[in-house]
Amino acid sequence: MIEPTDAAPVSQTAQLYDNLRAAILTLEIAPGERISERGLEARFHASRTPVRAALSRLEREGLILHEGRSWTVTPIDLDEIASLAELRGVLEPAAVRFAVERADAAALAEVRSHLDALRPTPDQQAGIRMGSTFHLDLAALGGNRFVTDAIGDALTRLERTRWIEVRTPEARDAAWDEHSAVLDAVQAGDADRAAELLAAHVAGTNDRLIAWIAQERRRLRGAGMAIIGATDRTSTTH
């Protein structure tokens, strides 16, 4: 039977996508865990069409894999994390140079307002929003949507592991301070300084994340989380 195509299934798909994505990103559904369409239908009280639409969207984001008739949450891949850090290390300093060249005072003030509004709190989710909002705001200042989209895609693929990055109040404080220093340099018109600080921030967060996962790998696997890859690449700032 063909499912209806009115607004109700569309709304259900969006809600299901949001709920399922949040469960994956917060590690409530663990990396490597198998999920079934019927299980999701029962868990989220949804019909088949919205479930399949949400799964397809999450597959495009790289958060789940389709294997025959089953779906699996993508494992945490250390090599992919390192590759994305390399990508960001190239794109984001270039984007911040565009921002220095092209952004006006009003746009910079708006980014500063967004950053100040997301000062570190006890809420870990706020730490994720702070990072995503700041990096995308900064990229958008450069006015090149292809660069912004590429950075956004990298951040989406890293969002699950970025829960680990901001797991402590100290980590959230440090991230906010580094973001603020980059923005200070942009507002001062110092492209070299802004690019240098941003490259160091991207490399530093990646190095700390990889080191923590390597240290905790056995415990994480014991908790049922699939972790693959064994990168030996080092930061480009070293």
Side-chain angles (χ1 to χ4, degrees), residues 4-237:
T5 57
D6 58 17
V10 174
S11 175
Q12 189 180 51
T13 298
Q15 184 176 11
L16 175 62
Y17 163 78
D18 288 340
N19 290 339
L20 182 54
R21 186 173 187 271
I24 292 171
L25 292 177
T26 60
L27 307 179
E28 178 185 337
I29 301 178
E33 185 173 337
R34 290 186 178 276
I35 52 179
S36 69
E37 293 179 14
R38 287 188 177 181
L40 293 176
E41 289 169 22
R43 177 173 180 170
F44 294 104
H45 307 289
S47 57
R48 180 172 298 178
T49 296
V51 166
R52 287 184 173 176
L55 288 170
S56 294
R57 186 173 173 185
L58 291 166
E59 183 183 23
R60 290 194 298 272
E61 292 183 2
L63 290 174
I64 60 174
L65 301 170
H66 194 191
E67 301 172 329
R69 295 186 177 181
S70 66
W71 301 82
T72 304
V73 178
T74 306
I76 292 176
D77 187 337
L78 299 183
D79 293 332
E80 179 181 272
I81 292 170
S83 293
L84 289 168
E86 289 180 346
L87 175 69
R88 293 179 64 202
V90 172
L91 285 183
E92 294 200 43
V96 83
R97 289 182 181 277
F98 292 149
V100 172
E101 294 172 7
R102 301 169 182 173
D104 59 29
L108 290 171
E110 186 174 359
V111 174
R112 172 58 71 181
S113 177
H114 287 173
L115 183 60
D116 288 344
L118 291 170
R119 279 181 178 273
T121 72
D123 180 9
Q124 191 175 18
Q125 177 65 48
I128 295 291
R129 289 198 305 273
M130 174 184 67
S132 297
T133 298
F134 175 74
H135 287 278
L136 288 175
D137 279 353
L138 203 61
L141 288 174
N144 187 315
R145 68 181 179 87
F146 298 103
V147 172
T148 303
D149 287 348
I151 292 171
D153 179 65
L155 291 172
T156 295
R157 289 181 174 275
L158 288 168
E159 192 162 355
R160 181 172 46 172
T161 53
R162 291 173 64 234
W163 275 87
I164 298 171
E165 287 178 38
V166 295
R167 66 192 179 279
T168 66
E170 293 78 13
R172 293 192 285 276
D173 287 341
W176 191 90
D177 288 342
E178 290 176 10
H179 292 160
S180 186
V182 171
L183 189 54
D184 285 344
V186 175
Q187 291 181 302
D190 191 339
D192 289 341
R193 179 65 173 161
E196 177 185 358
L197 287 171
L198 189 53
H201 168 68
V202 169
T205 55
N206 177 71
D207 288 348
R208 289 188 293 273
L209 173 63
I210 292 292
W212 188 85
I213 292 176
Q215 179 181 338
E216 299 291 325
R217 192 167 186 166
R218 180 176 296 180
R219 183 181 65 80
L220 293 172
R221 281 179 167 171
M225 297 187 190
I227 301 173
I228 62 175
T231 182
D232 59 2
R233 278 176 283 189
T234 57
S235 167
T236 55
T237 64

